[in-house]
Structure formats: C-alpha cells, structure tokens
Amino acid sequence: MFFSGDPTTRKRVDLGGRSSKERDRQKLLEQTRLERNRRLYLRRQNHAAIKIQVGFIEFEFEFEFNIHCYIAALHVYVMLFAFAQGAMIVLVQCFGPQSAFFRQLFFFFNARNVSDISVLVETCRLMKHFVQESGDVVGLFAGIDYSSKRALVDFRVKKFAFACIQAVHQNRKELKDQLFVTPEESNTPPTLLLEAVVLLIDSRLPWTCKVVSYLLERNVFTLLRELIVTGKESMEIHSSYGRISSLERVLTLIIPHIGQKPCICPNIDPRWSFFSQILTIPFLWHLFPYIKEVFATGRTSQHYIHQMALCVQNHANVLPHEVSMELPGYACLLGNILETAGVALSQPDCSFEMGVDLAAITTFLLKALPPIKSSRESSMVSDDDMTAGDEVMELVINRDLEKQITSAIDSRFLLQLTNVLFSGIHLLRGPHDEGPGDKEVAAVGAACAFLHVAFNTLPLEHIMTVLAYRTELVQLLWHYMKRCHEIRKWPFLPYLSGDAPGWLLPLAVFCPVYKHMLTIVDNEEFYEQEKPLSLKDIRHLIVILREALWHLLWLNPTSHPNVGKSVSSPPANKMLPAEAIQHRVSTVASEVLSQATIDGTRANEILKQAPFLVPFTSRAKIFQLASVRQRHGSHGVFTRSRFRIRRDHILEDAYSQMSTMSEEDLRGAIRVTFVNELGVEEAGIDGGGIFKDFMENITRAAFDVQYGLFKETSDHLLYPNPGSGMIHEQHLQFFHFLGILLAKAMFEGILVDIPFATFFLSKLKRKYELHTIALAYCNEHYEADISELELYFVILNNEYGEQTEEELLPGGKNIRVTNENVITFIHLVSNHRLNFQIRQQSSHFLRGFQQLIQKDWINMFNEHELQLLISGSLDSLDFDDLRQNTNYVGGYHSEHYVIEMFWEVLKSFSLENQKKFLKAAGSASEEALDRLPTSATCMNLLKLPPYRSKEQMSTKLLYAINAEAGFDLS
C-alpha cells in the first residue's frame, strides 16, 4: 500500500468480524458459481439447438442453415432456458419491445423455410405457456407501459399473427391431416400456430382491431378458405364432439369485426370478404357448428347479408372459383345462408331491412339454380310421359346440397320471413286510404320476388301448404292489389324491369297460392264462411285477372307477331252508326277466329295462354276449323283408307288395320264395310254414316269396363285400369290405339258416349291432378290426433285378388301419419292413385292421342269442356240449330206442314229419346218396315213419310229410333 500523504489516516477495522482472506475466499466461490452456471447455460443452449434441429427433421423439409436462423434459434434457446428456469423476466425481455428477436425473425421470415417455421412454432409454444402462467399477453409484448410502445408493439403483433397464418397456409398440403385438430387433442405445429393467433386477436386486447384489419387487408379469408378446402378433404369424424378446432376459433374471432362500434375495422373488398370466401364453402356449418351459432345471432349476419345485398343490387360478381361442378359457389352460399336464416330472423333485433336484404339475396341465388323436384313430383313425370320435342334438363347440383336448400326453406323460415316483412302492415284501411306506403311496397316486392323464384325452382308441396294455411300472405297480397286497383295506381317494384306493370309480380305469387287453397277448401267454407276471400272480393279479383290477361296477351304482348290480313269493309259513312259498329264487331270477330288457327298471331297466343277469355262455342268452332284445315292439308282427302270390319270382332279388326296407318293417313277419310256373322258384307255405301256407326260401336266395346282396359269410379266415370297388364299382354299397345281412336272421333267431329274421369282428362292436357281424392278434407274436418288412426306412409294395392304393399316414402312403413305430415301423406296417396299407378297406360294413350290432336288445341279447353267435345252436352240438345242446318228434298221445305209437325213432335220428346233420334238419323241402324221413318245413315239422311197427325208421327218415330237392325234392312 502506498502512502497517501495524509498523516491522519487510520487503520481500517472490519466490523463483520471476518478477515480479508475470508472475503477473498467468498469472492472466489461466487466467481466459480457463475462460471459453472455459464457452462450449464452453454450446455442447455446446445441442447436447445439439437432439439430445434430434430423439429426440422419432423417437418420433413430440407434444412437450410443461415445466419438469421442461427440468431433466431439462439434467441429461442435463451427463452427456453429462461422458461425452464422459471425466469419469466428473461422471457418478457425476449418478447418485449427492446428485444431484437422479432425484428430479426420477421425481417428474414420465409413461410416455406423449415427452420423459420420451427423457430415460429417454438415461439408460439413459449407464448402459450407464458399466457397460461401469467395471463398477461400485453405485458409480454409491451412490458409495463403499452401506451408508450403502442406503435412498435402493434406492428410486431400484426406481423406475428399473419406469419402464423401464412406458415400454416403455405404448408397446408403437408399438414392437411392436422388442420382440423382441436387444441385439447394435440399440440401439433398447426395447432400451436393457430392458437397463437387466437391469443393475439382476443377481443379484450387493445390492439385487436388493428391486428384483424392487418389480416383482412392481406385477404386472410382467402387463406383460411384454402386451409378449410384442403383440410376437409381428409377430415375424419373426431370423437371430440363439442370441442372447437383452432381453425374454427380463429374464424370465430375474426368474423365479428364488421366495422360497427366498438369495432373500428374498415370495410374490405367484397371479393375477399367472409361471405364470398367462407360462406361459399360447401356445408360450412357441418364443419364449424360453433361459427354457425356466432354468425346467426347478433349483428353479424345482418351486416354480411346487407353486404351481399349491395353486391346483388350492383350486379357484382364476387364469388370465387367453384369447388366442383356439383357444388357451385352460389348454391353453397345459398345453402349456408338459408340454414342460418331461421335463427337470424327469429332474433329480437331482426329488422325489416334484414328481411328485405335476405329476400333479395335468396331471390338472386335461387334464380341461378336449376329446378329441383321432389321425389313425388319426379314420379309424376317418367320417361313414358315424354313425347317428341320434350327436353330434359339434368340437375347438376349435388343431392346433399339440394337437400340443404330445400330443407331450410321450411314452414318456420317462410313464417318468419313473412312476419318480418309484413309486421306492422295492417289489413284494415283508413277512411282516406291513398294506397300502400313505401314500406308495404318494399315488403310486397321482396316477398313476391322471392316466392316467384321459389315456385319455379323448389318443390311446391311444403311451400304452398305453409303459405296458404299458416301465413296471411293471400289476404295481405289481396289487400295490396285491391287498393292499387281501386285507385288505378300500381307502384313500381324494383325487382321488375322498368316497363313491367306493377301488378305482374303480386299476381304471379297470389294466384298459385290462392289456387292451392281452393283445392282443399270445401263448399261450406267457400260460400258460407267466405274463405279465403269473400264472394264480393272474388268478383273483384276476376275483373283484375281479366284486365291483366287482356293487357298481357293483346294490348302489350311480349312479342308482336304479324296478324292476318284484315277483311275489307264497306265505307263506314254509308251505314248507320249502329250498323257500322255491328259490322266492325263482326269483322274483328272474323279476323280473330281466322288468326286463332295461325301460330304466332296474338289471337292464337290468347287461346294458348288465356282461353277462358274466349267463349267456349267460339273455341269449339276454332277447333273444328283447325281440324278441317288439317284434313284438307292432308293427302288423305285424295286417298281414302278402307276397312273391312267383322261385327263380332270389331275391336281386333280395327286395331290390326288402324295401328299400321301413318299420321297423314289417319287424318284422311276412312270408309268402312261391315261383315255380318255369316261373313257377308252388309249393304250400304259409306258416305260418313257407316264410319260414325263404326266409331260408336268400337268405342263402346273398347272402353267397356268388362274388356279390362278401363275401370270406373263410383260416379261411373272411366279411367285406365291399373291392373290392365294382368288381363292383356299387349295392354300398352291397346292404350296407344285407343288414344288414336278417341282423337279420330274428335278430329272428325263424331260424338261418342264415353264419360271420362276428370283426373284422366287432365292427362290429355299434361296436367297431374292431386285434389280429387276425398282424403284432402281430412286435415280440415278431423279434429282429433291423426296419429291415433295408425296410418303409415304405405299404400295397399288390390288388383284381381293380388295384394301388394308399397311405401310412399323410403322407410314409409315406419313413418306414422301425424297432424304435421298429413298434407304430405294426402299428396303422396293422391299422386300414387291418380298418377303413378296409371302412368304407363296414360302415357301410351296420350302418345296415340297426340298423333292427331296437337297439345295446344287441347289446352284451349278445361276438363269439363273436353268432355263436351267428346260426348256433347248431357243437359239439352239445340234443335233450333239443327233445324237451321237441315236441307229438304222430295217436295219438303222448311214451311211444309209435315216438317212443321215433325219439329214440334221432336221437341216434345224426352231428352233420352231426342238423343236416340240423333243417333238413329246420324249414325245408327234403321228400320224400313211398315211405313216407318227410315234413315240413310251413310248420308245422314232421314226418310220421313207424310204422316197426317202428330200422334201417328210420334208413335212411328219412337218405334223406329228404338229398333236395332243392321244395314241389311236399309
């Protein structure tokens, strides 16, 4: 020790009682301990590096060592060591704002580099353990003062979150079996990476919206979509029911960021949004049931549905490429929206605007779908029902996707949608009603647009029943249309083109629903209870319908075909005004009748689209005129076919000769020669009368229920025998022949006494009736629990003692009929009895019938009118018309006393005898003995002796028309 120059310096005394040598010893021990810890630190660092390298090998990527990887790995080693020692403060310093670790990692990070991913995975593992221990994510990244380090911390967290998602996305194919794993099942790399994102975007953190915005700007939904599509291909059903995968947790936290307070996230391009990228994934809710709950409740679904509605209004195509041809994005989007719509519409805060937006989106997407038929509707039209010129549209939509869509549009959805749209719209009018307001117009437009498209796309049985009996749709629409018609002002509906009338869309929905109600309502309800509309309102409705059809088909048709050349008329100034009007009316009527037979004319379009606007007698004349034109246009008028028919084998002979004729020959004249039981030809030249007799006899034999081709209802109306194949081996060929036979009778204007069942006549019009079975009333009049009847979805067939049981639905023998499904049961039973059982017989009959009679001409008439064309009126005969069209020869004239007496006697006959007279004079056998009236039926000629009294004439006429003799006595 050197002298300091201070003589007062004293010797220092150690109060601790230890000597300097002891102090040196303690210092040496401390240094030794630190050195030992340093060596242990290095050993652990080497061990951590080896562990990281093992992780690289597990990922099966090529290891690429570089300086930034080494530096990052060194930081991870330090953090691992700190965590192993419980030194949380060291871990915080590595994650904290002063650490260079994140700066180096994110600057050099490559999502395809195995070393970078391994470092990132271990970093996520450490963060997860730290949060589990402390729960302080903010403190981990920011230390004790987040506000002063906000910008740097937010930047690092954003980069960290995106790097985790990017790492999983870039390696999704290698990791596809681990993408849907839950954190409880495994700590696989994808799980650790995605769970880190979950921790970083927790809604309670101060940086959440900034991080989510950063992810959205980088099209995170597109990345997540590709993860889902890749992972679902190899997804297995896990036993962890109720647990949520890490991928689902990430989505669940991102989708609520819709820019509504307190969220500050900006709106993004719809092409990269949740609805376009995620909602278009097939069967999304089956993969992520928890997201379904989050999406359907609260404001989330309203935001995305409104966003979609804006895209629809702007006609923006924002959907990604299809997953497959059978799973188009628009159909998957529709299915996913509809599956959650019921919950969304039932929310207390569901707004009117939400209902309008939802209707607009579903309308837009439904229009793109091909028509979907139920199994019942498909069974109505089989291959046998198809005729020449029919085109079949094959459905390309996946069957499960079809089921998702059709199942979602159920009674609950329809009821909720109509309630949301029409809540607050009352049926009662005020004293000064100025018509519907803006909200009512918007509701009517949205509901009608959706339902109109739904009617054309989806199976109808459930939709119609719910709309008719569980909503007030008919009353609401009628209230709207009635007021608009009364004030002569129809508001514009945005769902139609600018020149479309405002009544078009409401009528397009109202009419089919109202028609469905009429199929089940009985007379008591219709007339006495005046349901569904009052009789006064029905008269008003008819006026609206007639005006609408006249406008559509005549005043403003969709096409403007060339009309026929007008009939010239004399100058109007040479006639009295009344005569000029009458002449004009007759001229226009003649033009309409002429045009009606010409395809493409407006008159022809009216007959096709709204035939009831034209009186039945006019339509019957048009039909006759069309038949005459076809006969004259056929070479059959120049070549006549001749039949030789044995009376005791009339059906077989006619079948063998007529079945081989071409359509052109069938349109021509057919002359018949009868052969009696002795094989001798009967006398008489066929001038038309013998052919009529032939037609009457053959139709009587062929349609006789004893022959086995037809059966009759309790009202003695005919329909095809479902068991005809058990009687006649060639029964389908016979039905084809009978179709030709009936068509020939109508083509020639020959009336035949064949009363057909209405549902069978409907098949001539290619309609499929379901409402004529009395079961249709059971839902209205059976008040007890229908399940007590022990009915099941099966039907028992009994044909000629052979009983068979058929299921109406797959597994129908185990499905009991209840009050909820009874309407479906009714439809299925009706379809089976009226359509399915006789589909082959009806199809072959129709094919034969359409060889002569075009479908368009039959569609001019309803079923009752068709029966009149076939058999004539059963109520009265127009003898005044017959008198005006009778020619007289042999000294007789219209004012001769015998002729006057003849018409008086004929009018005094009963209806049955009047019919027998027409039959005898026109096409029946005659009696030529004892000066009786005789008929030359081959020429429709009545030979009437000059009787002196009405009594004598009446007696002789009655005897003659009730005799049945062959043509040998003529």
Side-chain angles (χ1 to χ4, degrees), residues 545-559:
L545 291 175
R546 287 184 178 273
E547 290 179 359
L549 288 169
W550 184 252
H551 178 92
L552 288 173
L553 301 176
W554 190 258
L555 298 180
N556 189 26
T558 54
S559 60

Side-chain angles (χ1 to χ4, degrees), residues 262-377:
C263 175
I264 59 173
C265 294
N267 290 326
I268 62 173
D269 191 322
R271 291 175 297 173
W272 320 118
S273 68
F274 173 73
F275 85 81
S276 61
Q277 294 295 325
I278 305 299
L279 283 179
T280 53
I281 296 174
F283 314 111
L284 178 69
W285 312 129
H286 298 186
L287 303 173
F288 302 131
Y290 181 67
I291 296 182
K292 175 182 178 180
E293 181 180 344
V294 173
F295 176 78
T297 57
R299 299 175 298 172
T300 307
S301 60
Q302 295 193 39
H303 167 77
Y304 287 113
I305 287 175
H306 181 64
Q307 193 179 41
M308 285 183 271
L310 293 177
C311 292
V312 169
Q313 293 175 8
N314 298 325
H315 306 285
N317 184 10
V318 298
L319 301 186
H321 294 297
E322 317 292 4
V323 175
S324 71
M325 292 297 294
E326 289 190 345
L327 297 167
Y330 70 89
C332 297
L333 176 61
L334 176 63
N336 290 329
I337 291 174
L338 288 173
E339 194 172 335
T340 59
V343 178
L345 290 172
S346 64
Q347 297 300 306
D349 60 345
C350 182
S351 64
F352 170 79
E353 290 74 18
M354 164 72 169
V356 173
D357 287 341
L358 181 62
I361 296 165
T362 51
T363 300
F364 176 78
L365 297 175
L366 272 175
K367 282 197 299 185
L369 281 181
I372 301 174
K373 292 185 177 181
S374 65
S375 57
R376 176 180 68 80
E377 291 175 323

Side-chain angles (χ1 to χ4, degrees), residues 117-169:
I117 295 175
S118 299
V119 171
L120 190 64
V121 169
E122 293 304 324
T123 304
C124 293
R125 191 192 308 275
L126 289 169
M127 184 181 69
K128 175 183 176 183
H129 289 314
F130 177 85
V131 174
Q132 288 176 344
E133 292 290 334
S134 68
D136 185 10
V137 182
V138 177
L140 179 63
F141 286 91
I144 60 175
D145 186 11
Y146 166 71
S147 59
S148 63
K149 308 289 191 307
R150 180 186 300 270
L152 177 61
V153 172
D154 290 352
F155 175 77
R156 287 184 173 180
V157 173
K158 290 189 290 187
K159 298 284 288 187
F160 190 11
F162 182 70
C164 292
I165 295 176
Q166 191 180 34
V168 180
H169 173 264

